[in-house]
Amino acid sequence: MKSLGARHALASYRASVLHLFRHGSTIGTTSPSTFSVRRQLISSTLSKRKKLYDLEIYVSQSPSPYFNLSFEDYLFKQFPVYRSESTSSTELAKKVLLLYTNHRSVIIGRNQNPWRETNVQSLRANNIPIIRRKSGGGTVFHDEGNANYSVMMPSNAFDRDEHALLLCRALNPVLSQRREQTVLSVNERHDIVDQDARKVSGSAYKLQRGKAYHHGTMLLNSELEVLSKLLHHSPDGGLEEVDGPGVQSVRSPVSNIGISNAKFTDVVIHAFEEAYTSVSNNTLKIRYVDEGSITKEEAPEINKRIEELQSWEWTFGSTPKFVHRFSMADSTPAVSFTVEGGIITDLESDLPEFAENKDTIVGIPYRGAEVASRIGCKLWKQRLLRSI
Amino acid sequence: MSSHKNILTATTRLAAVRSRSSAATRSAARVPLLHSRLYSKPTPKTVLWQRSTVRQTAPTSSLLSVSVTCRRNYVSSKDEETPEGLRYTEEHEWLALEDGNLAVIGITAYASKALGDVVYVELPTVGASVVAGEPIGAVESVKSASDIYSPVSGEIIEVNEQLDKKPGLVNAEPYRRGWICKILIKDTNELESMMDNNGYETFIASS
């Protein structure tokens, strides 16, 4: 059994070799090698070798993370399910590309714990929404300087690195024109990193029957100091601990690539068009969407998803069961809350202010204001309001 | 569990490299000391300690074979790829009948290998009623959330709570301790449309 790192490295290596094979060095025909090389040099033979798709491109002009994630989920629902027997050789499979940019928000992965990954109260104080997405992976910070891309494909075409590699190949020529020699590549964690191994893009995936999507961020001109402050959960100076299952984020040093949103959109659309459509087909379908331009048929589905994303039950209530431990300044345990489905199911404490109020606290949702209102001690009230 | 595996893999590889490079410098004086440690009871902590001290002294080939065996026993799955007697779906779930209408569900070894190391399993709620073909949970691995579908209709009777603390069981023992949930089947006719192990092997070979 290989370690996770080795398996990823092998998978990326395999993918890059496969990619070279598909698009570059060898042409798998029976013609003599000299003839093949000449053909490759002369014509755009590559365009005949690449896998073509019925490509649909959507560009969202809404800055609302709720709308954008809901629209993405809706597009995924509409994406056809491909069974292995149904792919005919004449019909092209569909591929969807969605590009969007959100205003300031923190997006956590489907199986993460927001109390562990972020400082919930400080985000609330700064008016930054926390949103739980449907795909896996870790926590990311979005703002107007961060662009997001989402690619939907049939499950038999699912590849974790293919589109990240495509983006690298498309962006590297643009970045090399600038003074700083920025060179992008994909690492074994399927992130896009620059030449100093700083992360510029993170990826997450979702797989369902017959279809899958890969979406990722791209740091263009993001406010990195704000990002590091918000995603650094400093649990009350080390006196707090969140214990429980769920996916934990892996921290990485980050960097911006410094091109404009418009330029990025342009480069990505052009790269996808070149890779997945034939040269002769000039009718590229690009649809620009926002809250005002969705159709009457689409509206109820999208609004339903917006409501779900905004609900406390989905964002906080669907956190896997955990125990949140608070300690005193001298590190002796003070109180620990057991939270299941966002509701406090147990409380353990030797302190009188918690022990005597246990009956009123157990059973309520795990929200700072609600718990604090049931505690008499002012210091604890403040501390809980800061931390929950 | 996966971090433990990584330690085992890393130290085994390191031991292999060192044994190859320092074969000439192995001294006979060190061998009896190593053997006495080898015969102590190998709990996981002891095994790690043995290997970490071995890194400072040149490891012998006998220790290398012991460390490889320890790793294999601790981590290996004795499961066959596609056991007989189970039923399979095209979504790579398996179903085993226990006591009449009670079915145990899990994902196949093929699926767990394709997904990679599982880091979280989203289990269905006990008591929920499910319809065949509907998603009942999800498995997260390598940043990917993959839906699991119910092969049959019925009610969820029990879920495997061990997966909360040890999601890696889905990779290590997909047919044994890595089971996901137990369903009380409403209509046993639904079982007819599922594949047997040969049918499933043909299906995965052709996809």
Side-chain angles (χ1 to χ4, degrees):
Chain A
M1 272 251 228
K2 295 199 189 86
S3 70
L4 186 65
R7 197 180 287 128
H8 288 167
L10 188 60
S12 328
Y13 172 75
R14 270 203 205 116
S16 58
V17 168
L18 260 178
H19 196 83
L20 271 175
F21 176 74
R22 281 183 206 143
H23 295 286
S25 43
T26 49
I27 297 184
T29 63
T30 52
S31 19
S33 56
T34 48
F35 179 69
S36 315
V37 168
R38 237 183 285 138
R39 278 188 70 199
Q40 185 184 344
L41 289 172
I42 292 169
S43 67
S44 57
T45 322
L46 295 171
S47 61
K48 292 189 194 150
R49 295 290 158 193
K50 65 191 179 191
K51 178 117 197 272
L52 299 180
Y53 288 90
D54 171 22
L55 186 65
E56 275 181 22
I57 301 185
Y58 297 83
V59 178
S60 171
Q61 292 169 316
S62 164
S64 160
Y66 297 107
F67 173 81
N68 289 327
L69 289 178
S70 304
F71 188 70
E72 183 182 29
D73 200 41
Y74 171 74
L75 278 182
F76 191 54
K77 174 172 177 280
Q78 299 299 102
F79 193 86
V81 170
Y82 286 90
R83 309 310 301 261
S84 39
E85 10 9 283
S86 68
T87 40
S88 60
S89 51
T90 48
E91 222 175 84
L92 289 179
K94 202 164 155 191
K95 188 169 274 211
V96 169
L97 169 68
L98 166 66
L99 294 167
Y100 56 95
T101 302
N102 295 328
H103 64 59
R104 266 191 189 182
S105 47
V106 169
I107 316 286
I108 63 174
R110 179 177 174 158
N111 300 309
Q112 292 206 291
N113 186 324
W115 288 281
R116 178 164 45 206
E117 301 296 327
T118 68
N119 191 322
V120 175
Q121 279 305 330
S122 103
L123 288 177
R124 192 167 293 153
N126 285 304
N127 248 336
I128 298 178
I130 300 177
I131 302 170
R132 184 188 294 269
R133 60 176 186 266
K134 298 269 171 85
S135 61
T139 304
V140 283
F141 169 79
H142 287 190
D143 67 4
E144 275 87 352
N146 171 78
N148 303 290
Y149 64 92
S150 176
V151 188
M152 302 176 192
M153 65 208 97
S155 54
N156 54 18
F158 177 66
D159 186 314
R160 288 195 174 93
D161 291 326
E162 180 183 337
H163 305 99
L165 287 167
L166 178 64
L167 280 183
C168 289
R169 279 205 319 279
L171 288 168
N172 278 334
V174 177
L175 296 173
S176 66
Q177 285 167 11
R178 304 181 317 169
R179 272 172 290 132
E180 316 89 48
Q181 277 292 302
T182 313
V183 181
L184 302 180
S185 57
V186 179
N187 72 2
E188 69 278 358
R189 297 199 71 242
H190 314 289
D191 296 334
I192 301 180
V193 293
D194 70 5
Q195 68 284 0
D196 300 320
R198 279 182 303 210
K199 183 172 161 181
V200 301
S201 163
S203 296
Y205 311 86
K206 180 150 171 66
L207 292 107
Q208 274 186 4
R209 179 193 287 134
K211 53 187 169 177
Y213 71 74
H214 162 203
H215 63 185
T217 56
M218 182 63 72
L219 291 171
L220 304 175
N221 296 294
S222 194
E223 292 173 309
L224 299 179
E225 340 64 54
V226 180
L227 183 163
S228 65
K229 216 169 29 161
L230 293 175
L231 294 190
H232 178 61
H233 177 63
S234 51
D236 217 8
L239 297 175
E240 231 180 88
E241 199 190 319
V242 175
D243 211 1
V247 173
Q248 302 201 31
S249 296
V250 173
R251 299 201 188 290
S252 315
V254 288
S255 172
N256 281 317
I257 59 173
I259 62 177
S260 71
N261 293 55
K263 180 77 184 168
F264 176 75
T265 307
D266 225 12
V267 168
V268 173
I269 292 180
H270 187 73
F272 271 75
E273 183 188 0
E274 207 184 304
Y276 298 117
T277 59
S278 62
V279 180
S280 54
N281 180 16
N282 282 326
T283 55
L284 190 64
K285 302 172 264 187
I286 306 182
R287 183 178 159 198
Y288 294 87
V289 287
D290 62 15
E291 288 91 334
S293 64
I294 52 174
T295 67
K296 281 205 198 71
E297 292 79 32
E298 294 167 339
E301 287 289 311
I302 295 176
N303 289 329
K304 185 177 81 179
R305 285 166 169 80
I306 292 180
E307 268 174 42
E308 187 193 6
L309 287 181
Q310 287 174 332
S311 72
W312 189 89
E313 285 71 33
W314 168 251
T315 312
F316 294 97
S318 60
T319 310
K321 174 180 173 180
F322 68 98
V323 178
H324 199 172
R325 292 194 177 87
F326 294 84
S327 319
M328 308 293 279
D330 57 0
S331 300
T332 53
V335 60
S336 71
F337 297 97
T338 305
V339 182
E340 217 171 319
I343 310 286
I344 302 177
T345 53
D346 196 14
L347 185 155
E348 265 176 43
S349 181
D350 292 328
L351 301 176
E353 51 262 29
F354 288 106
E356 65 200 19
N357 292 313
K358 182 168 172 175
D359 294 328
T360 52
I361 296 178
V362 171
I364 62 168
Y366 197 51
R367 300 169 105 138
E370 298 218 24
V371 182
S373 64
R374 286 162 170 80
I375 301 293
C377 170
K378 195 171 169 201
L379 242 74
W380 272 108
K381 260 197 206 304
Q382 286 175 349
R383 192 172 166 190
L384 291 175
L385 278 173
R386 267 203 321 269
S387 312
I388 298 175
Chain B
M1 189 176 157
S2 62
S3 62
H4 200 129
K5 270 193 273 174
N6 287 342
I7 295 170
L8 300 180
T9 328
T11 41
T12 314
R13 267 198 239 121
L14 189 59
V17 166
R18 282 181 183 265
S19 71
R20 267 182 259 130
S21 61
S22 59
T25 59
R26 257 177 259 146
S27 74
R30 288 187 191 143
V31 173
L33 200 60
L34 286 171
H35 275 297
S36 67
R37 279 186 212 141
L38 281 178
Y39 289 122
S40 62
K41 189 173 171 195
T43 62
K45 275 198 194 131
T46 324
V47 164
L48 275 181
W49 175 78
Q50 284 171 350
R51 266 190 245 109
S52 60
T53 51
V54 159
R55 262 193 277 168
Q56 282 127 33
T57 65
T60 61
S61 55
S62 58
L63 185 66
L64 179 61
S65 62
V66 166
S67 62
V68 168
T69 325
C70 285
R71 171 177 159 247
R72 230 185 277 132
N73 285 341
Y74 186 76
V75 149
S76 77
S77 159
K78 297 186 196 73
D79 293 2
E80 303 161 39
E81 289 300 306
T82 315
E84 268 185 68
L86 303 182
R87 291 186 171 79
Y88 299 86
T89 67
E90 288 187 354
E91 312 308 328
H92 308 289
E93 286 110 20
W94 58 263
L95 182 150
L97 271 182
E98 212 181 77
D99 298 335
N101 272 17
L102 189 64
V104 188
I105 313 282
I107 64 167
T108 62
Y110 176 81
S112 74
K113 274 199 205 117
L115 287 173
D117 285 352
V118 173
V119 294
Y120 186 76
V121 181
E122 204 182 305
L123 296 164
T125 348
V126 175
S129 65
V130 296
V131 176
E134 293 292 306
I136 51 169
V139 162
E140 180 160 345
S141 63
V142 198
K143 311 188 187 190
S144 322
S146 318
D147 284 352
I148 313 169
Y149 298 88
S150 176
V152 290
S153 313
E155 191 190 331
I156 309 272
I157 298 295
E158 200 186 328
V159 296
N160 188 357
E161 310 235 327
Q162 282 182 5
L163 294 178
D164 271 344
K165 293 229 164 53
K166 293 191 180 176
L169 284 174
V170 174
N171 296 110
E173 295 179 40
Y175 301 107
R176 290 168 205 266
R177 288 189 299 161
W179 63 274
I180 293 177
C181 65
K182 296 191 183 174
I183 300 183
L184 194 65
I185 308 180
K186 253 196 291 194
D187 180 10
T188 43
N189 290 329
E190 281 170 345
L191 298 171
E192 310 292 325
S193 53
M194 295 178 74
M195 299 179 269
D196 69 348
N197 63 320
N198 293 319
Y200 181 66
E201 275 175 2
T202 323
F203 171 68
I204 54 183
S206 64
S207 62

